[in-house]
C-alpha cells in the first residue's frame, strides 16, 4: 500500500527490505519443497531435507524479526483485500476515492446550509426588521 511504500522509503535501518527479502526467499523455498514432495523420488531425499532446513531457517529469521514490527499496524481491510485475491495497493486508492466523495458531499451540504442561511436572513429582514437589526449588531460584535 501507499502507507507501506512511504514507510519502506523512510526505513533507514533496512528492516522492511530485510523482511521482504526473507519472505520472498521463504516463498521460493516453500515452492521448491512442494515441487520436490509432489515428484518425490528416493534420490531427492537429501535435496528435500536441505530445502526443509532452509524453510525452518527462514521461519526462524521471521520469528527473530517480529519484535521490530510491533508498531506496524495493518488495517483489517487490507487483509480482506488480500484474502479476496485483490491487490492491497488498491486499498489506498479506494480510501482516497471515498475521502474525495465524502469531501464533495460535505461541500454540497455546506453550500446548501449557506444558501438556506442567506435566504432565511433576507426573509427575516423583511418580516422582522427591528429584530434583524439587533441580530446584525450582535453579529458585528463577535
Amino acid at each position: 500500500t501507499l502507507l507501506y511504500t512511504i514507510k519502506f522509503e523512510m526505513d533507514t535501518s533496512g528492516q522492511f527490505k530485510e523482511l521482504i527479502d526473507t519472505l520472498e526467499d521463504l516463498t521460493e523455498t516453500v515452492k521448491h519443497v512442494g515441487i520436490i514432495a509432489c515428484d518425490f523420488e528416493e534420490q531427492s531425499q537429501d535435496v528435500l531435507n536441505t530445502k526443509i532446513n532452509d524453510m525452518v531457517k527462514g521461519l526462524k529469521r521471521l520469528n527473530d524479526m517480529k519484535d521490530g514490527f510491533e508498531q506496524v499496524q495493518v488495517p483489517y481491510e487490507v487483509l480482506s483485500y488480500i484474502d479476496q485475491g485483490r491487490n492491497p495497493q488498491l486499498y489506498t486508492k479506494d480510501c482516497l476515492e471515498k475521502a474525495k466523495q465524502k469531501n464533495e458531499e460535505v461541500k454540497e451540504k455546506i453550500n446548501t446550509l449557506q444558501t438556506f442561511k442567506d435566504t432565511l436572513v433576507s426573509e427575516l429582514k423583511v418580516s422582522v426588521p427591528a429584530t434583524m437589526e439587533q441580530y446584525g449588531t450582535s453579529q458585528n460584535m463577535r
Side-chain angles (χ1 to χ4, degrees):
T1 65
L2 179 61
L3 173 64
Y4 283 27
T5 303
I6 292 169
K7 190 137 184 139
F8 181 73
E9 289 172 1
M10 293 170 43
D11 179 29
T12 55
S13 68
Q15 118 188 68
F16 280 95
K17 180 168 179 8
E18 182 181 357
L19 175 64
I20 290 169
D21 291 345
T22 301
L23 286 170
E24 287 174 350
D25 291 345
L26 184 59
T27 302
E28 195 64 31
T29 302
V30 170
K31 284 181 190 176
H32 289 167
V33 168
I35 292 168
I36 294 169
C38 282
D39 298 329
F40 185 75
E41 296 175 6
E42 193 172 325
Q43 66 266 23
S44 49
Q45 183 67 52
D46 290 338
V47 175
L48 180 61
N49 290 345
T50 301
K51 290 295 180 181
I52 290 174
N53 285 332
D54 291 346
M55 190 170 67
V56 169
K57 288 176 188 173
L59 291 170
K60 183 177 180 338
R61 266 186 303 191
L62 283 178
N63 188 57
D64 293 344
M65 283 190 243
K66 75 177 187 291
D67 293 337
F69 296 93
E70 288 178 344
Q71 300 301 317
V72 176
Q73 296 180 359
V74 179
Y76 176 76
E77 293 82 8
V78 171
L79 299 176
S80 294
Y81 270 59
I82 293 169
D83 286 344
Q84 295 167 8
R86 296 170 65 190
N87 183 342
Q89 291 180 344
L90 293 176
Y91 172 75
T92 303
K93 179 184 173 199
D94 290 347
C95 284
L96 290 173
E97 287 174 1
K98 286 177 188 175
K100 182 179 176 183
Q101 181 182 3
K102 189 69 173 171
N103 187 35
E104 292 299 321
E105 290 172 11
V106 169
K107 281 182 183 179
E108 288 176 23
K109 287 179 182 180
I110 289 171
N111 289 338
T112 300
L113 288 172
Q114 186 62 46
T115 302
F116 174 74
K117 178 189 171 206
D118 294 344
T119 303
L120 180 63
V121 168
S122 66
E123 291 295 322
L124 287 172
K125 284 181 181 178
V126 171
S127 299
V128 283
T131 304
M132 288 309 291
E133 189 176 316
Q134 289 175 346
Y135 171 75
T137 305
S138 69
Q139 289 298 309
N140 289 336
M141 291 180 171
R142 289 186 184 178

